[in-house]
């Protein structure tokens, strides 16, 4: 790891790896909601090796992308409750730590319809009945890396139960879930989404617990 990176406090662990999520320090007026959500922090794709836990036995897998760590923290909470396997989505060219630079790049990718190139080899998913899909709202729609993942690998999710979870800056998820359904369109069943403010993931334990129970019950 590059020792010069400004990481902030450790807020949790995922597969034994430290999680940093600077947004958690933004409470009250320093969290202006969506349009003014700096979410500065190093792209989790820079901080560490991709997070992977793949077993032969798990029936569910958490597949997620996170830039500034909040969605990664939410993923860790779901994993703790479900014992799922883990697969972090990785982009070839990580996003800048600076919010404005990331926003400009993301806007360009969205407007030019050129989502980022991913850097991953997806394992065989046939053992899983449920795929927890973690992402964040960017410009009131799916973040560009999640959009890229769905476009590139969506056919591998056919016939699965999809349990979407997301963090956002306070404006809601826009058309994220509709777009996810539109891109997948492969006989999937969808649970209701879990949506948590990016600065409140540390307070979300009981919300996560209730949602995971709901997802488990939807299997029956
Ligand atoms: C480029 C960019 C665009 C964003 N657009 C929105 C938005 O439209 N609405 C919103 O509520 N939050 C928005 N946010 C805030 C993120 O959804 C929020 O910070 C999220 O928790 C980040 O997740 P992460 O820490 O896992 O990367 C945006 C953040 C970025 C970086």
């Amino acid at each position: 790891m590059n020792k010069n990176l400004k990481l902030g406090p450790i807020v949790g662990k995922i597969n034994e790896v430290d999680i940093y999520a600077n947004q958690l320090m933004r409470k009250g007026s320093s969290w202006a909601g969506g349009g003014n959500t700096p979410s500065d922090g190093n792209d989790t794709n820079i901080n560490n090796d991709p997070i992977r836990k793949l077993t032969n036995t798990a029936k569910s897998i958490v597949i997620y992308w996170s830039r500034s760590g909040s969605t990664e923290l939410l993923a860790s909470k779901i994993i703790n409750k479900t014992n799922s396997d883990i697969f972090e989505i990785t982009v070839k060219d990580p996003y800048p730590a600076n919010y404005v630079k990331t926003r400009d790049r993301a806007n360009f990718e969205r407007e030019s319809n050129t989502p980022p190139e991913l850097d991953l080899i997806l394992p065989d998913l046939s053992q899983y009945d449920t795929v927890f899909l973690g992402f964040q709202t960017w410009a009131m729609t799916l973040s560009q890396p999640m959009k890229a993942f769905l476009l590139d690998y969506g056919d591998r999710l056919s016939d699965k139960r999809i349990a979407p979870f997301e963090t956002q800056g306070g404006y809601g998820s826009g058309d994220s879930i509709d777009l996810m359904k539109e891109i997948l369109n492969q006989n999937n069943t969808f649970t209701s989404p879990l949506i948590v403010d990016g600065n409140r993931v540390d307070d979300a334990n009981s919300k996560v617990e209730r949602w995971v129970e709901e997802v488990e019950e939807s299997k029956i």
Side-chain angles (χ1 to χ4, degrees), residues 200-218:
R200 302 296 300 272
V201 182
D202 46 349
D203 299 335
N205 288 350
S206 51
K207 196 171 181 182
V208 171
E209 202 162 311
R210 281 198 303 277
W211 180 73
V212 165
E213 275 168 23
E214 219 181 273
V215 172
E216 298 291 335
E217 280 163 13
S218 76

Side-chain angles (χ1 to χ4, degrees), residues 23 66-71 136-140 167-171 198:
Q23 291 187 117
S66 181
R67 173 177 156 269
S68 52
S70 289
T71 311
Q136 45 299 117
T137 313
W138 278 6
M140 300 314 282
T167 69
Q168 44 93 29
Y171 283 165

Side-chain angles (χ1 to χ4, degrees), residues 139-201:
M140 300 314 282
T141 188
L142 289 174
S143 61
Q144 291 298 304
M146 179 50 77
K147 185 174 178 194
F149 178 77
L150 296 175
L151 288 169
D152 293 354
Y153 298 99
D155 57 338
R156 306 274 298 275
L157 303 179
S158 67
D159 295 316
K160 307 283 184 202
R161 175 184 303 101
I162 306 294
F165 64 97
E166 70 171 285
T167 69
Q168 44 93 29
Y171 283 165
S173 56
D175 75 355
S176 300
I177 301 294
D178 287 344
L179 183 58
M180 176 178 278
K181 289 180 177 171
E182 189 185 311
I183 297 174
L184 287 180
N185 194 21
Q186 307 269 346
N187 301 323
N188 309 101
T189 52
F190 287 86
T191 71
S192 62
L194 171 67
I195 303 173
V196 179
D197 268 18
N199 68 334
R200 302 296 300 272
V201 182

Side-chain angles (χ1 to χ4, degrees), residues 3-75:
K3 296 271 184 270
N4 295 323
L5 294 178
K6 199 181 80 202
L7 294 171
I10 295 167
V11 296
K13 282 194 184 289
I14 184 162
N15 206 28
E16 308 295 320
V17 177
D18 295 332
I19 301 172
Y20 303 87
N22 290 335
Q23 291 187 117
L24 300 185
M25 293 178 290
R26 296 185 169 271
K27 306 283 181 193
S29 59
S30 70
W31 179 259
N36 189 20
T37 307
S39 68
D40 283 318
N42 291 294
D43 188 323
T44 58
N45 287 184
I46 300 178
N47 296 345
N48 39 250
D49 291 334
I51 312 291
R52 306 272 193 268
K53 180 183 141 205
L54 298 169
T55 67
N56 293 325
T57 49
K59 288 284 169 221
S60 56
I61 184 167
V62 172
I63 299 178
Y64 73 95
W65 190 79
S66 181
R67 173 177 156 269
S68 52
S70 289
T71 311
E72 181 161 83
L73 183 62
L74 192 55

